């Protein structure tokens, strides 16, 4: 019997974007080897953050997180939750 880790296809980790920490530099986008990340406009006009519009192409290499000097991207082992978030949510930045 194969372990659950072997049965799961796809990356072991996925990026988790924290939009409020992003300064919009796009360094993460430039480091993605598969061009999966793109800068997406938030609900605030003119404010863009990185987002995986097609999370299925992510290989979980972590280059995006390494490139982010602001700490706006970290890698998470909660892959299914990250994929669902990218597919169903829109990035937002709230000003308080």
């Amino acid at each position: 019997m194969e372990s659950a880790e072997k049965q799961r296809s796809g990356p072991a980790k996925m990026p988790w974007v924290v939009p409020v920490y992003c300064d919009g530099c796009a360094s993460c986008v430039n480091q993605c080897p598969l061009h999966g990340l793109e800068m997406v406009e938030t609900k605030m006009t003119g404010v863009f953050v990185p987002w995986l519009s097609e999370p299925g192409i992510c290989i979980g290499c972590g280059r995006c997180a390494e490139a982010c000097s602001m700490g706006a991207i970290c890698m998470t082992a909660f892959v299914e939750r990250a994929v669902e978030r990218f597919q169903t949510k829109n990035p937002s930045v709230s000003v308080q």
Side-chain angles (χ1 to χ4, degrees):
M1 178 179 278
E2 290 184 35
S3 70
E5 190 71 26
K6 288 184 180 179
Q7 288 179 1
R8 180 175 32 149
S9 61
K13 292 188 174 186
M14 290 279 290
W16 188 270
V17 178
V18 183
V20 71
Y21 292 162
C22 180
D23 68 357
C25 74
S27 290
C28 54
V29 171
N30 295 329
Q31 289 300 311
C32 181
L34 299 177
H35 309 289
L37 278 175
E38 60 183 322
M39 296 303 285
V40 175
E41 191 168 24
T42 65
K43 294 177 182 179
M44 292 181 69
T45 304
V47 177
F48 290 80
V49 298
W51 206 251
L52 276 170
S53 297
E54 295 182 43
I57 66 171
C58 179
I59 58 173
C61 68
R63 288 171 138 179
C64 55
E66 291 172 8
C68 183
S69 63
M70 300 302 291
I73 301 179
C74 60
M75 298 301 288
T76 181
F78 294 99
V79 174
E80 293 83 12
R81 187 169 176 199
V83 169
E84 179 184 350
R85 181 176 180 240
F86 284 123
Q87 290 175 336
T88 62
K89 306 276 186 205
N90 292 320
S92 63
V93 178
S94 61
V95 177
Q96 296 181 3

